[in-house]
Amino acid sequence: MDLRFTPEELAFRDEVRQFFRTEIPAEIRRKVSEGRGLAREDYVTSQRILNAKGWAVPHWPKQWGGQDWTPIQRYIFTEEMLLAAVPLPQQFNCYMVGPVIAAFGSQAQKQRHLARIANLEDWWCQGFSEPGAGSDLASLKTKAVREGDHYIVDGQKTWTTLGQYADWIFCLVRTDPSAKKQAGISFLLIDMKTPGISLRPIITLEGRHEVNEVFFDQVRVPVENLVGEENKGWDYAKFLLANERTGIARIGLSKERMARIRRLAKEMPAGEGTMWEDRDFRARFASVEIELKALEITQMRVVAAQARDPGKPDPASSILKIKGSQLQQATTELLLEVAGPFALPAPERSGDLINDWPFAHDWADAAAASYFNNRKVSIYGGSNEIQKNIIAKAVLGL
Ligand SMILES: Cc1cc2nc3c(=O)[nH]c(=O)nc-3n(C[C@H](O)[C@H](O)[C@H](O)COP(=O)(O)OP(=O)(O)OC[C@H]3O[C@@H](n4cnc5c(N)ncnc54)[C@H](O)[C@@H]3O)c2cc1C
């Protein structure tokens, strides 16, 4: 198998690389690179620049703003975006609800939502998980009861990422409690301003507000907000989750972080020299770099298989998810090691804290937050244990 890019693919790579590094504001890219939280406006600014170029939703059907790219071009596009520390297009909009509406929504839903989703006019969040329904999602309990032209929704969702920014939420709800678990579920689009919806922040390890609990109390949702057919929501959710796992290895992100670690280790004093001169540190660095290279080659093989047989779901993507998330976590560990005590947060940049000026490094206080935040990557998008179950069944045939 030839894993090298063709001259056309290399030209495409140079074009997107140039665009990301010149058109997306450096300040937004710096925040991404340092693992700092982004404001809603940062996501909006970046996505609108991409959308104006026709690149916010390249994987959508052409009619709704997609590009006729090959799987290899899509791979290059995403990797270059991560390498340039550009925020990915808003995931819930562009990789989840948008493709579902384009594939299964009514014409009215497509007209109303798709362009606004691509341009981040509306911010969407994902209401799938519930307390007691994460890995075993089909046991979800939030119910929607039909009453005339409305569904009345009652229940609770949890871990709702950036729900505090959201205008809309797409939910899996139980519409037929008597049916077998997966069979009685529907896919509903719900306006977050509807009376009866309330949101409670969950503060994560690093002290940020990134996830939420969302409560529904007698929420009236127009029947026209049902996607596709009633009780067929599980089929649409499976389609959506397959999209969610695409590119989840985030190799470009880990490569970008490794390049930073190498640069910062060469500046960080240690003993008589710098961190980079510490053989043990360099051995740990090299071992992560080798694994990353191996993962990149595996990812290229999966992409090449997709290019030969488009549309066929590949259970090997579970291998990418496991290894990719482990390496994302390993890179945050290395960065934390380079930052050392400077990674301790210094909220008041004053006084005599060890990490205060003139000793502090302006990147270092984000290292611990990024380390803690990245514990999530082996849980969301299907936990690594669940991915191992998939590999056991679908790859190894056990
Ligand atoms: C930061 C973050 C953001 C998230 N954002 C969203 C969001 O926006 N919207 C949304 O709907 N959800 C979101 N999720 C939820 C996420 O999808 C679930 O956390 C995930 O599916 C795991 O479910 P759970 O938390 O209920 O854990 P459980 O399913 O209770 O699992 C607990 C542990 O048991 C293991 N386990 C469970 N079942 C098996 C099994 N069959 N075999 C082996 N091991 C098993 C799991 O791997 C895990 O280690 C988010 C989660 C996190 C952490």
Side-chain angles (χ1 to χ4, degrees), residues 11 37 41 69 79 106 127 154 165 188 202 204 217 224 241 247 250 285 302 336 351 385 393:
E41 269 323 293
W69 288 348
E79 286 304 299
S106 66
D154 281 287
Y165 295 163
L188 273 189
I202 301 174
T204 41
D217 180 14
E224 71 235 30
L241 292 172
R250 305 268 193 275
F285 182 93
V302 171
L336 195 64
E385 289 76 16
K393 282 199 196 116

Side-chain angles (χ1 to χ4, degrees), residues 255 271 306:
K255 281 166 79 177
Q306 270 169 7

Side-chain angles (χ1 to χ4, degrees), residues 63-212:
Q63 181 191 2
W64 300 109
Q67 298 281 348
D68 254 343
W69 288 348
T70 62
I72 293 172
Q73 282 177 300
R74 285 186 198 172
Y75 167 75
I76 292 173
F77 178 76
T78 308
E79 286 304 299
E80 287 299 326
M81 193 178 265
L82 293 168
L83 275 171
V86 169
L88 291 175
Q90 207 271 35
Q91 300 287 286
F92 306 107
N93 280 39
C94 300
Y95 291 88
M96 298 191 193
V97 74
V100 167
I101 293 177
F104 308 107
S106 66
Q107 196 55 28
Q109 286 167 350
K110 291 176 190 174
Q111 304 282 13
R112 178 175 183 192
H113 293 298
L114 287 178
R116 296 180 64 83
I117 288 174
N119 205 37
L120 207 42
E121 308 282 340
D122 293 323
W123 184 291
W124 286 77
C125 63
Q126 179 188 25
F128 278 18
S129 305
E130 298 181 3
S135 304
D136 181 18
L137 186 58
S139 62
L140 62 91
K141 292 200 176 66
T142 296
K143 62 176 183 183
V145 179
R146 178 90 184 247
E147 212 180 87
D149 291 340
H150 286 79
Y151 288 102
I152 311 299
V153 178
D154 281 287
Q156 184 199 337
K157 297 292 173 183
T158 192
W159 303 119
T160 317
T161 299
L162 299 180
Q164 70 270 30
Y165 295 163
D167 305 297
W168 286 80
I169 183 168
F170 55 93
C171 284
L172 291 181
V173 291
R174 191 158 295 287
T175 32
D176 183 357
S178 63
K180 189 179 142 253
K181 270 171 53 177
Q182 284 85 348
I185 291 172
S186 298
F187 195 110
L188 273 189
L189 311 177
I190 306 180
D191 185 335
M192 289 291 278
K193 289 187 292 301
T194 321
I197 300 181
S198 54
L199 200 112
R200 198 157 67 194
I202 301 174
I203 303 301
T204 41
L205 270 177
E206 79 282 25
R208 280 188 204 148
H209 176 196
E210 188 176 280
V211 281
N212 301 272

Side-chain angles (χ1 to χ4, degrees), residues 308-351:
R308 279 195 308 274
D309 200 353
K312 189 168 166 239
D314 190 342
S317 59
S318 293
I319 300 173
L320 301 178
K321 160 74 193 347
I322 294 177
K323 208 65 210 170
S325 54
Q326 287 170 345
L327 289 176
Q328 283 178 65
Q329 292 177 340
T331 55
T332 59
E333 279 164 37
L334 284 175
L335 185 60
L336 195 64
E337 224 182 302
V338 177
F342 299 116
L344 287 169
E348 313 287 333
R349 286 225 164 258
S350 64

Side-chain angles (χ1 to χ4, degrees), residues 173-385:
V173 291
R174 191 158 295 287
T175 32
D176 183 357
S178 63
K180 189 179 142 253
K181 270 171 53 177
Q182 284 85 348
I185 291 172
S186 298
F187 195 110
L188 273 189
L189 311 177
I190 306 180
D191 185 335
M192 289 291 278
K193 289 187 292 301
T194 321
I197 300 181
S198 54
L199 200 112
R200 198 157 67 194
I202 301 174
I203 303 301
T204 41
L205 270 177
E206 79 282 25
R208 280 188 204 148
H209 176 196
E210 188 176 280
V211 281
N212 301 272
E213 296 177 287
V214 183
F215 299 90
F216 298 85
D217 180 14
Q218 294 277 297
V219 175
R220 292 174 66 79
V221 180
V223 168
E224 71 235 30
N225 289 5
L226 173 75
V227 173
E229 288 178 49
E230 194 175 86
N231 298 327
K232 289 274 163 56
W234 192 250
D235 293 342
Y236 315 141
K238 278 195 296 189
F239 170 88
L240 177 149
L241 292 172
N243 272 321
E244 185 183 6
R245 288 186 195 143
T246 307
I248 204 153
R250 305 268 193 275
I251 295 167
L253 187 149
S254 292
K255 281 166 79 177
E256 195 270 341
R257 197 175 289 137
M258 288 296 275
R260 280 187 69 227
I261 293 168
R262 182 195 295 263
R263 205 177 59 243
L264 295 168
K266 286 181 180 169
E267 293 167 8
M268 184 58 91
E272 299 295 301
T274 65
M275 279 290 304
W276 191 247
E277 286 156 60
D278 176 337
R279 285 165 61 117
D280 289 342
F281 174 78
R282 276 222 311 277
R284 285 194 293 283
F285 182 93
S287 129
V288 173
E289 192 144 86
I290 290 164
E291 293 215 50
L292 200 53
K293 193 72 204 162
L295 180 66
E296 191 177 13
I297 292 169
T298 310
Q299 164 116 33
M300 294 289 284
R301 282 169 42 203
V302 171
V303 172
Q306 270 169 7
R308 279 195 308 274
D309 200 353
K312 189 168 166 239
D314 190 342
S317 59
S318 293
I319 300 173
L320 301 178
K321 160 74 193 347
I322 294 177
K323 208 65 210 170
S325 54
Q326 287 170 345
L327 289 176
Q328 283 178 65
Q329 292 177 340
T331 55
T332 59
E333 279 164 37
L334 284 175
L335 185 60
L336 195 64
E337 224 182 302
V338 177
F342 299 116
L344 287 169
E348 313 287 333
R349 286 225 164 258
S350 64
D352 55 1
L353 289 169
I354 185 168
N355 53 351
D356 204 354
W357 191 88
F359 307 107
H361 302 268
D362 58 359
W363 54 270
D365 64 331
S370 178
Y371 167 83
F372 286 122
N373 184 273
N374 269 268
R375 301 304 97 191
K376 71 187 176 187
V377 296
S378 44
I379 302 172
Y380 69 32
S383 74
N384 283 10
E385 289 76 16

